[in-house]
Every structure is written in C-alpha cells, then in structure tokens.
Amino acid sequence: MFTDFEIKGQWFLPNDSENAVIGTLKFQVGKDISLETIGSLSGHDEDPEIILGISTDGHLYTLVDSLTVRSRDSSRGISTRAYSVHEMIKNGHFTSLDALQFDHVHFQYNLFEEWLGKSVFDINESFENRTFEVKVNEPDSIEFSIDDITKGQIHFYRTNLLRQRLQKKIEIEQENVLALEFTQLISLKSLLEYQHKFQNFLTLATAENVFPKRIDAWNTYDENQDQSLEIYFIPYAKGKTSTESKIDRFMLFTYSDIENRFESILKNWFLKCDELQPVIFLLFNNLYNKSKFSSFSFLGIIQSLETFHRYLIPIPNSNIQKHEERVKRISDSLTGKDKRWVKFKLKYAFEPSLQDRLNYILDNYPTEIVLKLIGNRDEFIRSVVNDRNFYTHYDKRLEKTKMDMPELMRITGILQLLLISSILVEIGFDQNQVSQIHKNGRHVNHLVKQISKKG
C-alpha cells in the first residue's frame, strides 16, 4: 500500500454488466481510492454499495461502499461520475458484502522486520579471499493464538533473486508475514478490525506510524477462488508513513523484550483494545505527532489520562441517576436564573476531578522513573490542574502561576510516560518489565532524557 497506481477498465453494477462504462480507478497512498467514469452506472442509486470492474489487463475488481463526490452532465450529452471508494478487492467479483467472507489472511507491515529483530541472512565477507557469502537461514515461524477462533503465525521469507546474464546488482530482501487462520468465516469488516488492532500494537511498540504494506485474504471453502484476494483501503494515521528502517533502541519495546510472553500480551491487547481505543487514539495523536509542541499537546495528554481513568473506573448508571435526582431536588427548591445556573453547574458534578484521577493512576500504576521525575506529588498535580484550567478557560487569575513553555513541555513528557507505562501494565507487562524498558535505552528512555531536569 505504498505505491500509487492507476487502472483503466470497464465498470458496472452487480447483475448489470451489459451497462458497463469506461473508467479509471486510482489508488493514492495515504490519500484516497477513487473511480472516475465516463457515463453513469448508478442509475437512481448515487452511492452504490458494490461496483465491479475488469481492468484492461484482465484483473477483476470489487469496489466496496462507493460515495458519489462529483456528477456532471455536459450539454453534448456526455456524463461523468467520480466516486470515493472505501475498500477495493483485487482478483475477484463479489455481488454483495455478505459474499465477502474469509478464513485466511496475510498481513505485511512497515517496520515489522525491525521490530522482530530476527534476520534471515548470515553474511560472511573475506577481504583477503575476495569473497562475499550470503546464506539464508529462515527462523522457525512464531506460533500463537489470539482468541477462540484465531490462530496466528509469523513467517520469515526472502524475496527471490533476479538473475541476469551480467549481474551488476544483487537485490534480496527479508519479508515477514503475519498469517491468521480463522476457524469460521469472518466478514471484511471483522478482518480489517484484526488488521487495525495489530497495526496499533506495532505502532505502540515501535513508537512510529505503522501501516499495512499488503493484505492477502482467502476463503478456502470457495472453490471458485483460485488465487488470493488483494485488499486495499486507506488506513488512518497521524503524520507521514515511515518506510525507512528504525533501530530498535528508539522503539518502546521489541519482540525480544516480550518473547516469553508474546502470546499472552497480544491476547490481552486484542481483548482490551476496543475499550482502550479512545485512549490509544489520543496518545498516538499526541505522542507521535511530529509537529511543534504547544499547549494543545499538554491538553491532549491530559484528555488521554482522563479517558484512561474513565476506562479504569466507569461510573455506574445508578450513581449518575442518584446524582441527577439530587440535582433535581436542589434545583426544584430554586426559581428563575438561580435554578438554571445550579442545574448547569451541577450537571457533571459526579465526575471525579483531574486531581482525583491523577492520584488514582499514580497509586495504581506507580513507576519508579515517573515518581522520581514527579518529585513532590502534591505540587506536581497542583501545577498540572492549574495549567489545565488556564489553557481550557484562559482564566486570567491563573496566568501568574502557570508554567513557562519549557517546564510545560517537561511536565507533558512526564504525563506521557505515566500513560504509556500504565497502558503497558494494563496489557500484561509487570512493573519490572516496564522498569527494564526504561533502563534498556529505548524510546521511553530517550523521552526521559529529554524531560529530565538538568543536574
């Protein structure tokens, strides 16, 4: 999914191939999938659920959830249509979403090989003998399960060597594939949810934007499928996709750090990922955003921590109901503006304060390096609450006590470290492992060096 491409062909609706139109399908990395046709294929349905196509080189395409973004009819009677496409399937025609069912899938990701840290190449070079020897020794596949219906393997492959009569250049590359096998057929939506969860796991681990490079899926029960289906979509992420290698010491953790507990940690991640999704989204948006630091960076990590606390301690509906009854009793004793003011001010008074939330997280997820950086907890929390209130409401009364920008950056880094450590513990890392990650000099240690006070 890192290469733009353009496909010309015929396009039509399911069960209406006689009314095919000519058009061009475009895939633009990180931007969109679009189809432009000469002529209308949608009739009265401007947003077709399924569009089928045959390219000029004979490949079959299924376009899923197409949204009409432009429709023009010229004075000479030539109509054109432009569609934004949600997903694209290559090598097959499917007449409905229900027909898109899979039991095998292969994912490839950028930075996957770097995160695994296991090379298939053994290189020996002798300057004296003028020899350069490359041996391929593929490690055993890594086997694991994710849930009751999903077994997984991580395979180690290499690309084929292109041989020429005059060999001026040699190119051979390692490829790692995440293979999932399901004991029952799953939908396209479910398949992409598995993909998204593993993508987020690697993004957390590598501290970089990770994207799928390729997705191949099968339905082994379908006798008509004689080849894998290539699946394309535009994955969401903040910032630019990294296609460059990254050394492991700048990652949060690598496979070798969790090798003995890889399956249990991955199971935990998949189990809790949906509930943690809002926290993960806010963390990624804040931590891996390469733009310049500002007060919004500070407010973003505060929101992440508040959301994490809400995930940890959900407020029972019975408590909310009791609070609403209490507010009603109070407001019913008042009239006019006082009544409206009290109802508005007390509407969310059942929510814990930021001070309470931070104290709870620090009590339940204490990390040695975080506590050391915080120093006096009361003063630290007071400063955080003060600046959150200032930047949220711009209360002039708090302006004199707010932190300067370098200190705010330092405090934001500590809060990021607190949230990262808490998430690691939540998905199965113990405190010793978290502390070891800090000491290993990886990404978190790099962050600690940036936020530590001089001296």
Side-chain angles (χ1 to χ4, degrees):
M1 291 192 184
F2 287 110
T3 305
D4 294 353
F5 57 80
E6 185 175 297
I7 298 160
K8 298 183 184 298
Q10 289 186 324
W11 308 91
F12 51 91
L13 296 177
N15 304 317
D16 194 19
S17 59
E18 294 182 359
N19 293 315
V21 297
I22 301 299
T24 302
L25 178 68
K26 294 181 180 179
F27 180 85
Q28 294 179 291
V29 176
K31 294 182 179 179
D32 62 10
I33 307 172
S34 61
L35 173 68
E36 295 188 8
T37 64
I38 301 175
S40 172
L41 54 73
S42 57
H44 296 292
D45 182 6
E46 289 297 321
D47 299 322
E49 182 180 71
I50 296 289
I51 297 175
L52 303 179
I54 303 176
S55 66
T56 54
D57 58 3
H59 285 108
L60 305 181
Y61 290 87
T62 299
L63 311 184
V64 178
D65 286 341
S66 300
L67 175 67
T68 304
V69 294
R70 188 175 69 251
S71 177
R72 292 177 181 170
D73 296 296
S74 72
S75 59
R76 297 182 180 273
I78 298 176
S79 62
T80 59
R81 299 288 186 271
Y83 302 91
S84 176
V85 180
H86 202 260
E87 290 107 13
M88 175 179 73
I89 314 295
K90 180 182 178 181
N91 295 332
H93 275 172
F94 299 87
T95 58
S96 69
L97 290 180
D98 292 337
L100 285 165
Q101 301 284 325
F102 310 95
D103 63 343
H104 285 77
V105 64
H106 285 178
F107 300 120
Q108 289 179 260
Y109 295 92
N110 65 309
L111 299 179
F112 195 22
E113 290 78 17
E114 288 83 353
W115 180 76
L116 286 165
K118 294 177 180 288
S119 178
V120 302
F121 302 119
D122 183 12
I123 300 173
N124 292 305
E125 183 175 9
S126 173
F127 293 101
E128 182 179 348
N129 298 326
R130 296 184 179 182
T131 60
F132 187 86
E133 182 182 39
V134 179
K135 294 182 179 179
V136 176
N137 180 23
E138 297 178 2
D140 293 336
S141 296
I142 300 169
E143 298 185 358
F144 56 92
S145 64
I146 292 176
D147 52 41
D148 292 340
I149 68 165
T150 313
K151 291 184 178 180
Q153 289 185 327
I154 296 174
H155 299 300
F156 294 79
Y157 299 126
R158 64 166 177 86
T159 56
N160 292 325
L161 177 63
L162 180 62
R163 297 184 181 275
Q164 300 173 328
R165 187 169 60 86
L166 176 61
Q167 197 79 37
K168 297 192 300 180
K169 181 173 68 172
I170 295 176
E171 285 187 334
I172 185 170
E173 187 176 358
Q174 176 173 331
E175 290 183 342
N176 283 103
V177 173
L178 171 68
L180 299 183
E181 179 181 348
F182 307 98
T183 58
Q184 63 189 47
L185 292 174
I186 66 169
S187 66
L188 175 63
K189 179 182 178 181
S190 296
L191 182 147
L192 292 179
E193 286 175 353
Y194 276 93
Q195 186 288 128
H196 184 63
K197 290 177 181 179
F198 196 80
Q199 174 188 331
N200 278 349
F201 179 78
L202 288 179
T203 298
L204 176 69
T206 62
E208 279 289 350
N209 288 318
V210 172
F211 295 93
K213 294 194 297 184
R214 184 181 174 102
I215 302 176
D216 294 282
W218 297 264
N219 178 349
T220 57
Y221 298 99
D222 187 348
E223 297 178 354
N224 296 320
Q225 277 194 35
D226 56 357
Q227 58 184 319
S228 66
L229 304 173
E230 295 179 27
I231 300 175
Y232 293 84
F233 69 101
I234 303 298
Y236 171 82
K238 186 70 177 178
K240 187 179 179 181
T241 303
S242 174
T243 57
E244 302 296 327
S245 295
K246 180 174 182 176
I247 55 178
D248 59 2
R249 71 184 180 90
F250 291 117
M251 295 182 185
L252 185 63
F253 62 89
T254 65
Y255 173 74
S256 63
D257 293 324
I258 61 171
E259 185 169 1
N260 294 333
R261 301 185 61 197
F262 173 65
E263 182 178 74
S264 64
I265 288 174
L266 193 63
K267 278 185 174 181
N268 243 334
W269 174 263
F270 271 76
L271 184 65
K272 299 182 178 183
C273 193
D274 287 336
E275 290 184 87
L276 282 171
Q277 181 60 34
V279 183
I280 298 298
F281 175 82
L282 289 168
L283 175 63
F284 288 175
N285 192 60
N286 187 273
L287 183 61
Y288 305 145
N289 187 347
K290 306 303 182 183
S291 60
K292 187 176 180 180
F293 177 85
S294 70
S295 60
F296 293 106
S297 307
F298 167 72
L299 292 175
I301 202 66
I302 291 294
Q303 187 181 0
S304 304
L305 284 161
E306 289 184 309
T307 304
F308 181 65
H309 179 268
R310 189 173 286 111
Y311 154 78
L312 295 172
I313 310 293
I315 300 174
N317 289 331
S318 58
N319 288 15
I320 299 175
Q321 184 177 352
K322 288 179 181 179
H323 172 75
E324 291 173 346
E325 291 171 354
R326 185 182 299 116
V327 171
K328 186 177 185 306
R329 286 197 304 271
I330 296 172
S331 62
D332 284 348
S333 65
L334 304 170
T335 57
K337 293 182 179 180
D338 289 342
K339 181 174 183 175
R340 290 194 297 271
W341 185 85
V342 167
K343 288 183 70 173
F344 176 76
K345 288 296 183 180
L346 296 181
K347 184 175 182 179
Y348 296 105
F350 62 86
E351 291 275 6
S353 67
L354 176 57
Q355 177 180 340
D356 292 337
R357 294 186 194 279
L358 290 175
N359 271 314
Y360 181 89
I361 295 173
L362 286 168
D363 286 340
N364 289 274
Y365 297 89
T367 306
E368 180 182 356
I369 186 65
V370 172
L371 296 178
K372 183 178 179 180
L373 288 166
I374 283 175
N376 187 302
R377 184 199 284 200
D378 292 338
E379 290 182 5
F380 176 85
I381 292 178
R382 189 182 306 115
S383 297
V384 170
V385 172
N386 181 84
D387 278 43
R388 192 283 301 268
N389 291 339
F390 173 77
Y391 287 111
T392 301
H393 307 293
Y394 279 91
D395 186 344
K396 293 292 185 181
R397 294 171 298 178
L398 302 173
E399 189 168 15
K400 291 183 179 180
T401 57
K402 73 179 180 67
M403 293 176 274
D404 58 25
M405 198 54 66
E407 179 65 6
L408 186 67
M409 186 185 300
R410 191 185 78 86
I411 293 297
T412 301
I414 296 173
L415 294 172
Q416 288 175 345
L417 188 56
L418 172 62
L419 180 58
I420 291 170
S421 301
S422 300
I423 290 173
L424 292 180
V425 172
E426 189 66 18
I427 64 172
F429 288 77
D430 59 37
Q431 290 289 352
N432 290 333
Q433 285 178 306
V434 174
S435 296
Q436 196 60 43
I437 286 174
H438 299 336
K439 294 175 183 178
N440 280 349
R442 304 198 190 281
H443 177 79
V444 174
N445 186 260
H446 181 64
L447 177 62
V448 169
K449 289 178 182 177
Q450 291 180 349
I451 64 177
S452 296
K453 291 181 178 178
K454 293 181 179 179

